[in-house]
Amino acid sequence: MKGAAPLAGLALIAAASAGMAQQQEPPASVFVRPLASLLVPGTGQLLAHQDRGAVYLAAEVYLVSRFLQLDHEAMLEARRFQNLAFDVARRSYLPVRRDTIFEYYEQMERFAESGSYDGDPGPTFVPETDPQTYNGAVWLLARRTFWENPGVSPDPTSPEYWRAVQFYQARAVGPNFQWSWRDHSLEHEVFRDYIKRSDTAFRRAQNQIGLLLANHVLSAVDALISARMSAAAGRAAQMQTTIGPGPLAQLRFSVTF
């Protein structure tokens, strides 16, 4: 009988240690609601019968619909400036339509003309020299980069001359993509407006993606805090945030007794 007391004491200590371990390590079910909210905002709160889950879910629906609307608007304006560029600025150069990257259209916005790619119809390659055109501006940049004096041509067989030519050939607009807004200044202004509206809609659509991610994270953190509080208290608990007038905000925790 004397040995029974120490054994009972050891059993009580072991039980207490097990209970503390269970309190320190939350059950796996605690993470179900946060993961659900991370996937679909508001679902973790709705699983816990918390009405604010509908707010997260409504925000998700609104942000997704807004992103789709802005993305559609951006693509619509993009088709408009592409069509205008082909019908007016590129029509006399290329009977077959070919589209390219957005940076190309940005240069069409900045420069009224692309300029010629090769100014010599013979075998000798002569870059565009008018700096008011896009190709002429590229050739000027090439000369400033590789020539000692951009206004004085070195020997055409010298390495610096051919480095400038290679720089020009890699960046200049070729025959298939030349353009000119000459005598079409009004259409050029409309083209600029289409690009501006498309770019604005695209940036706003990207902002909606950031808000969508924030909604997912906030809903998951909300669900995690509520679940951990409930597990620690052994009863239903939840976190509530209240934003009042001015910069002040209140964070409130409630536990059901």
Side-chain angles (χ1 to χ4, degrees), residues 70-123:
L70 290 170
D71 185 68
H72 174 74
E73 181 181 338
M75 296 301 296
L76 179 63
E77 297 298 337
R79 285 194 293 270
R80 286 176 175 171
F81 71 68
Q82 290 170 358
N83 290 336
L84 185 60
F86 177 79
D87 293 337
V88 177
R90 297 175 58 189
R91 173 61 69 178
S92 59
Y93 294 101
L94 186 64
V96 179
R97 178 166 184 159
R98 295 182 182 179
D99 287 326
T100 183
I101 57 177
F102 178 70
E103 285 74 10
Y104 166 78
Y105 294 101
E106 285 185 316
Q107 298 305 327
M108 290 186 73
E109 179 185 10
R110 293 179 54 202
F111 293 91
E113 295 182 87
S114 64
S116 62
Y117 178 71
D118 182 2
D120 189 341

Side-chain angles (χ1 to χ4, degrees), residues 1-208:
M1 297 298 293
K2 292 183 179 180
L7 291 176
L10 292 174
L12 290 174
I13 294 174
S17 300
M20 293 178 61
Q22 289 179 354
Q23 291 180 356
Q24 292 176 355
E25 297 182 3
S29 59
V30 169
F31 301 101
V32 172
R33 281 155 45 191
L35 288 175
S37 286
L38 187 62
L39 294 175
V40 181
T43 54
Q45 287 76 19
L46 294 176
L47 288 173
H49 307 289
Q50 297 169 348
D51 294 338
R52 68 180 180 279
V55 177
Y56 288 112
L57 191 58
E60 183 77 359
V61 172
Y62 170 77
L63 292 172
V64 170
S65 62
R66 185 61 176 156
F67 168 78
L68 294 175
Q69 177 187 359
L70 290 170
D71 185 68
H72 174 74
E73 181 181 338
M75 296 301 296
L76 179 63
E77 297 298 337
R79 285 194 293 270
R80 286 176 175 171
F81 71 68
Q82 290 170 358
N83 290 336
L84 185 60
F86 177 79
D87 293 337
V88 177
R90 297 175 58 189
R91 173 61 69 178
S92 59
Y93 294 101
L94 186 64
V96 179
R97 178 166 184 159
R98 295 182 182 179
D99 287 326
T100 183
I101 57 177
F102 178 70
E103 285 74 10
Y104 166 78
Y105 294 101
E106 285 185 316
Q107 298 305 327
M108 290 186 73
E109 179 185 10
R110 293 179 54 202
F111 293 91
E113 295 182 87
S114 64
S116 62
Y117 178 71
D118 182 2
D120 189 341
T124 304
F125 183 80
V126 179
E128 172 66 63
T129 58
D130 184 1
Q132 299 300 317
T133 66
Y134 172 73
N135 284 350
V138 172
W139 179 234
L140 177 60
L141 178 61
R143 301 198 315 266
R144 287 174 174 173
T145 303
F146 296 100
W147 293 4
E148 183 176 353
N149 185 346
V152 179
S153 175
D155 186 345
T157 61
S158 63
E160 54 269 25
Y161 182 88
W162 282 107
R163 279 197 292 266
V165 170
Q166 290 172 352
F167 180 93
Y168 172 84
Q169 291 175 337
R171 292 164 177 80
V173 171
N176 292 333
F177 292 96
Q178 290 178 261
W179 76 81
S180 175
W181 295 103
R182 182 178 296 180
D183 301 327
H184 296 286
S185 58
L186 179 60
E187 290 87 345
H188 197 189
E189 289 300 321
V190 174
F191 174 81
R192 290 191 177 105
D193 184 61
Y194 284 158
I195 282 191
K196 180 180 179 180
R197 286 156 61 178
S198 176
D199 191 46
T200 299
F202 180 76
R203 286 200 306 268
R204 293 173 66 186
Q206 297 303 307
N207 292 338
Q208 301 305 307

